């Protein structure tokens, strides 16, 4: 019985890239997920471990980031074609390249603020008991927002394990989970929801942030200031880190234009903002 190598391919899956283009103070973002897969003269690597024909998947990832800087990312089809042609044309052992790109849409909410398209989930939890006590908590989750500038983080506590560099300009992005407690009942819940959501998004966009914690407080404060019908806002906000990619090995600078959008681990910032005289929550949060 003889054993042979069948069809095969290899590549880097899901290179998460955010490309920021600055038009003065007005920013544009492109948020994509790129997967490349190459095939060709790959018998040797499978049969003997000879890697001479293998363009490392790490190089494929670097190429995505370097091309994003060098050529920009406009239509994903054009960017995919550029990459696929490059892999095949630059390396004789690569006979075929498959490039798949997903693009995530964002709606503008200011000069450098965006809300991810696709929408959040609206939520509520109500309690009512035999003594006639009722609580209503409304909320939302998966409201993804991003500021491409206007965020700093420095002056933090350091110890022998700290490697994080302070920054005065970073991308700030989060998927907001917010719940707010109503005082009393009987209102237009749709109107209330729309208004609170608007406050949260506006405060996120308009706050020059020194930390996500500060932004969290500003969001809760804005909603409570604008809406008398609620008395407490609880927020959970993952810090969706965007790391500038070091493009210097390829002779390219990166002035906050090309980011690796990491999905984990993430900072998780949670907090409650409430009126000092808020009535007792009772079972509202249970
Ligand atoms: O806004 C932030 N808050 C933190 O507590 C924190 N920690 C960290 O590493 N980065 C950040 N960013």
């Amino acid at each position: 019985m003889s054993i042979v190598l069948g069809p095969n391919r290899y590549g880097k899956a899901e290179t998460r890239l955010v490309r920021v283009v600055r038009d003065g103070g007005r920013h544009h973002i492109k948020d994509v997920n790129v997967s490349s897969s190459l095939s060709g003269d790959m018998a040797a690597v499978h049969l003997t471990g000879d890697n001479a024909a293998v363009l490392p998947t790490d190089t494929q990832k670097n190429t995505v980031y370097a091309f994003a800087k060098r050529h920009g990312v406009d239509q994903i089809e054009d960017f995919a074609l550029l990459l696929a042609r490059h892999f095949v044309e630059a390396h004789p052992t690569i006979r075929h390249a498959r490039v798949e790109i997903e693009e995530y849409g964002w709606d503008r909410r200011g000069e450098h603020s965006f809300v991810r398209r696709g929408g959040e989930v609206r939520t509520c939890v109500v309690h009512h008991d035999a003594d006639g006590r009722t609580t209503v908590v409304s909320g939302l989750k998966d409201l993804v927002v991003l500021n491409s500038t206007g965020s700093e983080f420095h002056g933090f506590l350091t110890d022998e394990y700290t490697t994080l560099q302070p920054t005065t300009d970073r991308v700030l992005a989060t998927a907001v989970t917010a719940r707010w407690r109503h005082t009393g009942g009987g209102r237009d819940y749709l109107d209330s929801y729309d208004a609170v959501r608007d406050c949260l998004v506006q405060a996120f966009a308009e706050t020059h942030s020194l930390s996500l914690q500060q932004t969290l407080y500003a969001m809760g404060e804005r909603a409570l200031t604008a809406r008398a019908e609620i008395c407490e806002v609880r927020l959970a906000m993952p810090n969706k880190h965007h790391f500038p990619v070091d493009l210097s090995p390829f002779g390219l600078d990166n002035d906050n234009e090309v980011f690796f959008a990491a999905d984990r681990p993430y900072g998780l910032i949670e907090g409650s903002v409430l009126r000092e005289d808020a009535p007792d929550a009772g079972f509202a949060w249970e």
Side-chain angles (χ1 to χ4, degrees):
M1 181 181 67
S2 72
I3 310 259
V4 295
L5 175 67
N8 59 85
R9 62 186 187 187
Y10 78 104
K12 188 67 98 189
E14 306 205 49
T15 295
R16 290 284 289 107
L17 158 71
V18 169
R19 174 73 158 97
V20 175
V21 175
R22 293 202 213 91
D23 181 6
R26 190 173 173 82
H27 290 193
H28 306 268
I29 60 166
K30 202 79 177 174
D31 181 4
V32 296
N33 192 23
V34 181
S35 296
S36 58
S37 198
L38 308 182
S39 51
D41 303 334
M42 298 297 151
V45 60
H46 290 92
L47 302 183
T48 71
D50 176 352
N51 293 325
V54 176
L55 185 71
T57 67
D58 190 64
T59 306
Q60 297 175 40
K61 174 204 70 187
N62 289 345
T63 308
V64 170
Y65 287 125
F67 272 37
K69 164 70 186 185
R70 191 167 269 144
H71 306 285
V73 184
D74 187 10
Q75 297 307 303
I76 54 175
E77 291 84 354
D78 287 326
F79 193 60
L81 283 164
L82 195 67
L83 287 163
R85 286 186 178 128
H86 164 79
F87 289 130
V88 171
E89 284 162 14
H91 303 289
T93 57
I94 309 299
R95 312 290 302 168
H96 187 110
R98 177 185 190 275
V99 178
E100 176 173 358
I101 304 184
E102 295 174 345
E103 177 179 356
Y104 310 113
W106 294 82
D107 294 317
R108 178 175 293 283
R109 276 301 294 253
E111 289 288 270
H112 55 255
S113 301
F114 305 88
V115 177
R116 179 130 151 213
R117 211 170 292 150
E120 70 277 7
V121 176
R122 181 175 163 182
T123 63
C124 82
V125 175
V126 309
H127 290 263
H128 180 73
D129 72 4
D131 297 325
R133 290 177 301 188
T134 304
T135 61
V136 179
V137 169
S138 300
L140 54 78
K141 60 181 180 180
D142 303 333
L143 173 65
V144 182
V145 287
L146 181 149
N147 289 332
S148 53
T149 188
S151 168
E152 312 182 23
F153 190 65
H154 46 76
F156 43 80
L157 188 66
T158 61
D159 66 12
E160 67 268 43
Y161 302 112
T162 302
T163 59
L164 184 71
Q165 293 301 305
T167 176
T168 55
D169 190 6
R170 65 174 183 175
V171 168
L172 186 68
T174 186
V176 180
T177 297
R179 294 173 296 155
W180 49 91
R181 177 158 65 96
H182 294 267
T183 40
R187 65 187 41 123
D188 180 344
Y189 284 106
L190 175 58
D191 179 63
S192 178
Y193 176 85
D194 287 343
V196 173
R197 178 192 185 280
D198 223 51
C199 286
L200 297 174
V201 172
Q202 257 181 20
F204 178 85
E206 292 170 7
T207 302
H208 184 99
S209 177
L210 299 178
S211 66
L212 190 50
Q213 289 89 329
Q214 182 202 18
T215 295
L216 178 151
Y217 183 80
M219 293 166 70
E221 183 184 37
R222 178 84 62 110
L224 289 164
T225 303
R227 304 302 297 187
E229 76 271 23
I230 63 173
C231 60
E232 180 175 4
V233 182
R234 292 191 176 185
L235 291 149
M237 312 215 306
N239 192 353
K240 293 168 79 75
H241 303 296
H242 286 62
F243 299 110
V245 180
D246 179 10
L247 300 175
S248 60
F250 324 122
L252 298 168
D253 61 5
N254 183 11
D255 186 15
N256 275 355
E257 295 166 285
V258 177
F259 294 90
F260 162 45
D263 66 344
R264 63 191 70 169
Y266 50 86
L268 181 58
I269 312 300
E270 301 174 280
S272 164
V273 187
L274 66 164
R275 298 187 195 288
E276 223 176 351
D277 61 352
D280 184 61
F283 39 52
W285 297 111
E286 288 169 14

